[in-house]
Amino acid sequence: MGDAVVERVKSGRRPVFIYLTAGDHGRDSVYWQQREYAALQSTRVALGAAPETIARCDTAQVAAHAIARCTLGLSVSYFLRLPDGNRNGAGFRRNRFESLRKLRTDRIAAITTVDGSTRYTDWQDLRVTVGALVGQATDSSSAVEMVLHTTDPSVRINPHDHYDHRMAGKLVEGLLRANGWSGRYYIGYALATRAPNRTSVQRQEKLIVFSEYDREMMRMNHSWSAYREHPEFYSECMQRTYARSVRSASVATHR
């Protein structure tokens, strides 16, 4: 979605990022903390901010939960730090095999953040919290409509995706239905199977955002490069972005 972020920033939109999981892959805090830092540096590039621009981070209290919050330029990033559910949603031993998939299907009674800062008692608790974050980010005085961007929850349209991505889509789908908000659903891991559809400018926008994240990960550990793990896949992704616009869970347009 990197090119979509860049283009919306250029059009005057204020981006707010909500990261549901720590993306920890069952590893220790050094790894997921570096992912947060790398994500913020990627955001800085997307905003066109100067290299010396520093994120200001604190803790927000939202719906009785402590959530890490970082402000960088006009952007705000929230890191909920829920455990990575693994690609199949089974979770990892380090985090008691908890996952978003299990929470949504009531296979676990609750889910605890990887840093132990808070605990969500059920799927509804998580959805209410994310809804509150979105509500806080909405500027009622603005003439620009707020749009939620996420991975497509449809297995038919977006097959073979990571279950954390799918659960993020399902959570947003519920918020759109409940609040009448507008959304935009993106193809995830199946992206490389689609035909290239980005212009040279859009490819460059996508590349600089991704490259900054990858560069920061490698500064900590060269083996943490996403590109080096799957170079062909990520090269294909730079040439493609597929999304559909939705409102209240009803399909409006495809692109």
Side-chain angles (χ1 to χ4, degrees):
M1 306 177 194
D3 55 322
V5 174
V6 173
E7 290 171 2
R8 279 157 179 76
V9 167
K10 287 180 177 178
S11 69
R13 302 270 185 147
R14 183 176 74 94
V16 176
F17 302 94
I18 301 174
Y19 298 89
L20 292 181
T21 77
D24 53 276
H25 292 273
R27 305 178 191 182
D28 63 21
S29 61
V30 175
Y31 181 75
W32 61 258
Q33 287 175 354
Q34 184 63 15
R35 292 200 74 177
E36 290 185 3
Y37 179 75
L40 289 169
Q41 294 310 304
S42 180
T43 299
R44 177 185 58 76
V45 169
L47 294 173
E52 61 271 16
T53 305
I54 299 174
R56 302 186 305 277
C57 299
D58 59 11
T59 301
Q61 294 294 325
V62 182
H65 296 289
I67 299 175
R69 173 180 58 192
C70 293
T71 302
L72 194 157
L74 296 175
S75 74
V76 180
S77 296
Y78 294 97
F79 298 95
L80 272 66
R81 295 175 177 170
L82 294 169
D84 189 323
N86 209 341
R87 180 163 182 165
N88 61 2
F92 290 95
R93 182 181 299 277
R94 177 183 290 273
N95 299 313
R96 304 164 299 282
F97 296 104
E98 294 178 358
S99 72
L100 292 175
R101 183 186 187 187
K102 290 180 179 179
L103 185 71
R104 184 173 180 271
T105 55
D106 296 323
R107 291 169 59 191
I108 54 175
I111 191 168
T112 303
T113 57
V114 295
D115 62 353
S117 59
T118 192
R119 179 172 178 265
Y120 296 86
T121 56
D122 54 22
W123 184 257
Q124 177 65 8
D125 185 16
L126 178 60
R127 193 172 74 171
V128 167
T129 303
V130 174
L133 286 175
V134 174
Q136 288 182 8
T138 304
D139 184 358
S140 59
S141 64
S142 175
V144 179
E145 183 181 26
M146 181 272 298
V147 180
L148 274 66
H149 298 253
T150 188
T151 38
D152 201 311
S154 170
V155 176
R156 180 180 61 83
I157 298 173
N158 181 31
H160 314 303
D161 210 355
H162 194 297
Y163 256 97
D164 286 348
H165 301 173
R166 198 173 307 290
M167 293 302 99
K170 284 293 185 184
L171 189 146
V172 169
E173 183 180 58
L175 290 175
L176 300 188
R177 184 179 295 116
N179 297 282
W181 293 332
S182 294
R184 193 148 176 82
Y185 292 163
Y186 292 76
I187 300 299
Y189 286 170
L191 187 63
T193 65
R194 304 290 188 95
N197 68 347
R198 298 293 87 185
T199 66
S200 59
V201 172
Q202 290 169 328
R203 288 198 299 270
Q204 185 63 22
E205 290 171 343
K206 200 165 190 175
L207 181 60
I208 62 171
V209 172
F210 174 78
S211 297
E212 186 64 22
Y213 166 84
D214 217 43
R215 183 161 39 249
E216 289 301 331
M217 292 302 293
M218 287 192 294
R219 284 183 182 177
M220 179 65 71
N221 188 324
H222 272 271
S223 69
W224 291 351
S225 166
Y227 178 78
R228 290 178 65 181
E229 288 180 10
H230 304 286
E232 184 177 352
F233 170 74
Y234 283 109
S235 295
E236 297 285 347
C237 288
M238 295 304 108
Q239 302 179 58
R240 298 155 172 83
T241 299
Y242 278 85
R244 59 184 176 119
S245 296
V246 295
R247 185 178 182 88
S248 300
S250 298
V251 176
T253 60
H254 291 266
R255 180 166 64 85

